[in-house]
Amino acid sequence: MRRCSWVCLPSPPILVCLLCLALAFRPKHQPPRRTHGGISDTMASEGLQLLAFTLALSGASGGLTATLLPNWKVNVDVGSNILTAMVRLQGLWMDCTWYSTGMFSCTLKYSILALPTHVQAARAAMVLACVLSALGLCTSVVGMKCTHLGGDRHTKRQASLAAGVFFLCAGFASFVPTVWYTKEIVANFLDLTIPESNKYEPGGALYVGFISAMLLFSSGIIFCTSCTGRNPEAWLSAHEQQHIWATQPEGRSAYHLKDYV
């Protein structure tokens, strides 16, 4: 085991990602299509996709943060007095200890086979969730209606559906390890054979992972449903044609029939 006195977790390059995404977006100059509420269909669809992309970006950042954080479970040992109190944190990649004197030390987990089964599964699932989230973000940029990429509308719908599937899978991959890890913590806490000093409680990383999974689920549902809508131009043309035939006078139709006879 290698010990380090201080650990600085790498932060995701959110600014670089946002800069690259800003270059792909453009304002759309399209004739408005009015709905019952007076808002165009295109603006409503683009707004939903932007909301879904924001949720997905937040969920992906939260999933990466939860994967790296060392506080998946926490144990607070006060001891005989406040001067000997310490907080023990255990994560997927390292175990850390914080002392009341201000010292903070972490131990990296190098051996994979020595870890419990639920920790190994949580590692694999969270890494898979991060990869699927990244693929979903890249695909959603292509499938969004307010970007240069993607080509025609059919291609954008396929990319939007693929992004929704990626986000749903990423949310499921992030949801399963958080629930399983919480179940193990609760089972050990309720076990009477385990000493009180070895019992842990759920840490903040579990809550971050669970919320990130919900955000990814919501984003995936929005992207999947946004690509299944009917073509608004075809619907409007069919609706206008039915309206013309319904408002046409009967005498005019009979007059045209006499001409042909």
Side-chain angles (χ1 to χ4, degrees), residues 3-6 70-71 74-78 82-90 95-107:
R3 290 185 172 274
C4 53
S5 58
W6 215 210
N71 58 337
V74 181
N75 175 272
V76 180
D77 187 7
V78 179
I82 193 63
L83 297 178
T84 60
M86 65 179 181
V87 179
R88 290 182 293 175
L89 312 173
Q90 289 191 12
D95 297 336
C96 298
T97 304
W98 178 83
Y99 301 93
S100 59
T101 56
M103 296 182 60
F104 188 85
S105 62
C106 292
T107 303

Side-chain angles (χ1 to χ4, degrees), residues 22-168:
L23 297 177
F25 286 99
R26 64 171 179 177
K28 303 287 285 186
H29 300 283
Q30 296 180 354
R33 305 184 182 96
R34 298 183 63 85
T35 59
H36 297 287
I39 302 176
S40 65
D41 296 333
T42 304
M43 291 177 60
S45 179
E46 291 179 1
L48 281 177
Q49 287 186 342
L50 286 174
L51 174 63
F53 183 81
T54 304
L55 294 177
L57 185 61
S58 302
S61 302
L64 180 61
T65 304
T67 305
L68 298 176
L69 283 177
N71 58 337
W72 278 61
K73 59 181 181 179
V74 181
N75 175 272
V76 180
D77 187 7
V78 179
S80 58
N81 53 64
I82 193 63
L83 297 178
T84 60
M86 65 179 181
V87 179
R88 290 182 293 175
L89 312 173
Q90 289 191 12
L92 301 181
W93 312 97
M94 66 183 70
D95 297 336
C96 298
T97 304
W98 178 83
Y99 301 93
S100 59
T101 56
M103 296 182 60
F104 188 85
S105 62
C106 292
T107 303
L108 299 178
K109 297 179 179 179
Y110 288 105
S111 178
I112 299 178
L113 300 178
L115 298 175
T117 305
H118 66 281
V119 178
Q120 298 181 19
R123 274 188 174 189
M126 293 304 293
V127 171
L128 179 62
C130 293
V131 174
L132 292 175
S133 299
L135 292 176
L137 288 174
C138 296
T139 311
S140 63
V141 173
V142 178
M144 294 177 67
K145 297 179 181 180
C146 56
T147 59
H148 291 284
L149 309 175
D152 56 355
R153 181 175 298 173
H154 179 69
T155 305
K156 282 186 171 293
R157 286 188 176 183
Q158 290 182 341
S160 178
L161 178 61
V165 173
F166 279 134
F167 290 139
L168 288 176

Side-chain angles (χ1 to χ4, degrees), residues 66 72 122 126 173-183 205-210 213:
W72 278 61
M126 293 304 293
S174 180
F175 178 77
V176 170
T178 54
V179 174
W180 189 2
Y181 208 98
T182 305
K183 174 183 173 298
L206 284 176
Y207 300 105
V208 174
F210 182 79

